Amino acid sequence: IRKLLHASASSVRLTGLSGVGKTRLVQALFDDRIGYNALNQLQVFYSDISDSPNPSPRSFAEQLISLRRPVILVVDNCPPELHRRLNSVCTASGSLVSLITVEYDVREDQPEETEVFQLVPASVELIQKVISARFDYINNVDARTIAEFSGGNARIAIALAKTIKQGKDMSSLKVRDLLDRLLHQRNEQDKGLMKAAEICSLVYSFDCSTDEGQDLALSLLSSLAGISVVQLYEYIAELKRRELVQQRNVWRAVLPQAISNMLAQRALENIPINVLRKMFEGGGSDRLLKSFSRRLSYLHENDKAKEIASEWLSKDGILSSIDSLNELEMSLFKNIAPIDAGAAIDSIERAAKEDLSGRFLSKDNNNYVCFTRVLRSLAYDEMLFSRCVSLLCSFALTERPRVNSNSIRPLLKSLFQIHLSGTHDTADQRLSIIS
């Protein structure tokens, strides 16, 4: 990364989940005590988008370019669209500005003319060493417990370690106890704060705007929590101070995912399914419903999540008309299909069987690509492999290779590779299908 940023008009993007140390790594690039070829500390400008910087990063980048001086611009919590705009400015001919942007949300798309680096969570062993080094009164067993609970997230591990008093034993603590410790962090226990954290974790992210007519997400979540919008807003602010909520402009998210998933499971245990469905399905916020489905996708082993997925895919569910899903419904389907894979395949098989015109299996179906990619993913399970392959073949047979572009046949073919097939089905079982 240092070598890239030493060159003018270069662009680097650093991604990774919350708390894995992205910002700290960027700081280390300018630290001459670490490694060699450190970047010049006198040539860097830093901005965090969550602080609503003024002037805007793009405008500031244009001003820096006009100075005709070598400069490194660091933009933290930078969304993909802003990165693309900055990238086009900083890599233009004549620019002496090098760009590095940091993003907590790991995305599949890779911006053009950008070197992308992903920082992954640390190993349990490394986190254990960090805890042992910083808290010498915590024994190895407790340090291991903290490391395993943190999911490779150093910030969460350190926050939890700070709650352990010298001479106290953690061996009898359960996950629920560790969550309580992490949330309260030596403050007085507040059941309202815990409930707010659980409710906010039910969605992947949410709009925290309080402007009139734009606070629907807060209204729905506060109603689910049984508190006022103002009280929920205060709790969210407190969670942010305890580094359990991240902010980007009006958006908030309970992070890291390892913690928000645990909190969401507790919320599912405490709230009846019919109440959850009524709130998210009938609340009037499509975005919040989509965000809820994305959270459920992380909880595929949870019984309540499975029940919701099954109900959505049932004949009376919101995804019952599988042959005519709109953009929102297709997003919901993609998110919850892995939770009840059998029901998802049932619905596709049913739609294919009932469609006498053949439109559903053809490229006349607007969701053709989405359905085939979902099936390709679900084929990972050896018990579902044959059904997924059969459906993919039905889709592929409707294609006209000389007319249709972007054929799914390479997608189907990839399932039969000897190496990296992306499925647990054995080679012999795949050969039997071919023969």
Side-chain angles (χ1 to χ4, degrees), residues 67 69 110 112 138 163 192 210 241 243 321 360 364 412 427:
L67 295 175
R69 290 168 51 191
Q110 181 163 322
E112 295 181 3
I138 296 179
T163 70
T210 56
R241 284 189 284 271
E243 297 189 326
S321 301
F360 178 79
D364 291 333
L412 176 59

Side-chain angles (χ1 to χ4, degrees), residues 93-225:
S93 176
S95 170
L96 296 180
V97 175
S98 301
L99 172 71
I100 177 168
T101 65
V102 181
E103 164 76 322
Y104 78 81
D105 194 10
V106 182
R107 298 173 184 267
E108 293 180 358
D109 58 313
Q110 181 163 322
E112 295 181 3
E113 301 178 348
T114 298
E115 293 288 344
V116 180
F117 295 84
Q118 181 180 344
L119 193 59
V120 299
S123 67
V124 171
E125 289 73 20
L126 180 57
I127 297 296
Q128 182 179 354
K129 289 180 180 178
V130 170
I131 297 303
S132 296
R134 293 190 59 164
F135 304 90
D136 54 7
Y137 58 86
I138 296 179
N139 61 50
N140 287 332
V141 174
D142 288 348
R144 181 80 181 186
T145 300
I146 292 171
E148 291 174 346
F149 176 81
S150 70
N153 190 302
R155 189 179 72 218
I156 293 300
I158 292 169
L160 183 57
K162 288 178 179 178
T163 70
I164 309 302
K165 295 181 180 179
Q166 194 162 353
K168 294 291 183 180
D169 182 16
M170 288 182 60
S171 59
S172 62
L173 294 180
K174 298 180 181 179
V175 170
R176 190 176 296 265
D177 300 316
L178 293 172
L179 262 180
D180 288 337
R181 280 177 173 267
L182 177 62
L183 199 69
H184 298 297
Q185 299 179 8
R186 289 193 174 182
N187 295 286
E188 291 185 10
Q189 287 210 358
D190 185 341
K191 291 183 179 180
L193 184 67
M194 174 62 79
K195 189 169 186 179
E198 292 173 1
I199 295 299
C200 291
S201 295
L202 281 172
V203 291
Y204 189 80
S205 63
F206 56 95
D207 185 345
C208 205
S209 172
T210 56
D211 295 338
E212 188 175 352
Q214 297 183 9
D215 59 349
L216 183 58
L218 277 186
S219 296
L220 290 174
L221 292 174
S222 63
S223 176
L224 200 55

Side-chain angles (χ1 to χ4, degrees), residues 356-375:
L356 301 179
S357 67
R359 184 199 66 83
F360 178 79
L361 291 171
S362 73
K363 286 206 169 181
D364 291 333
N365 182 349
N366 293 330
N367 295 318
Y368 180 91
V369 172
C370 293
F371 281 129
T372 52
R373 287 182 177 175
V374 168
L375 287 169

Side-chain angles (χ1 to χ4, degrees), residues 10 21-22 52 128 136 169 173 246 280-281 359:
S10 57
K22 301 183 297 299
S52 302
Q128 182 179 354
D136 54 7
D169 182 16
L173 294 180
Q246 282 209 352
F280 286 110
E281 295 173 31
R359 184 199 66 83

